[in-house]
Amino acid sequence: MGNKTKGLLALVGLGALAYWKYKNSSPEQKQMVKDKINNAKDNLNKWGNDLKDKANNVASQVQDKADEFKNKAQDTVNKAQETVG
């Protein structure tokens, strides 16, 4: 048996054990598990949104720099044309 198969079986075993424990737990314990899952989801969503915001900020900063360089280049071309003209 390969390592992947063993790992998969271990994962399935853990999942089955967790499910069995969940099925046999009290309503309060089930609610705690649900709350944990919801919290984890909220945190993941928040983290994802933070990443998106950061990516957008970086993208707009890059765009600003690109515009700045483009303007400088255009100014340089204009000055050169005036000098020649």
Side-chain angles (χ1 to χ4, degrees):
M1 231 182 347
N3 278 346
K4 279 187 182 173
T5 312
K6 280 183 190 169
L8 197 61
L9 283 175
L11 204 60
V12 169
L14 276 175
L17 181 67
Y19 180 73
W20 182 83
K21 276 184 75 173
Y22 179 78
K23 287 282 288 181
N24 293 298
S25 53
S26 70
E28 292 86 9
Q29 288 170 319
K30 285 183 181 177
Q31 192 53 53
M32 275 173 50
V33 170
K34 286 179 186 169
D35 290 346
K36 273 187 188 170
I37 289 170
N38 286 334
N39 277 345
K41 267 198 260 180
D42 289 347
N43 288 339
L44 263 180
N45 287 338
K46 232 185 284 177
W47 186 67
N49 288 336
D50 286 351
L51 276 184
K52 260 190 260 175
D53 289 346
K54 282 187 180 134
N56 287 336
N57 286 344
V58 168
S60 68
Q61 283 172 8
V62 167
Q63 188 60 55
D64 290 347
K65 282 281 176 220
D67 289 345
E68 199 180 303
F69 283 125
K70 194 173 68 178
N71 292 338
K72 279 184 185 169
Q74 193 60 55
D75 287 349
T76 306
V77 168
N78 290 345
K79 282 180 186 155
Q81 284 174 342
E82 285 168 16
T83 309
V84 173

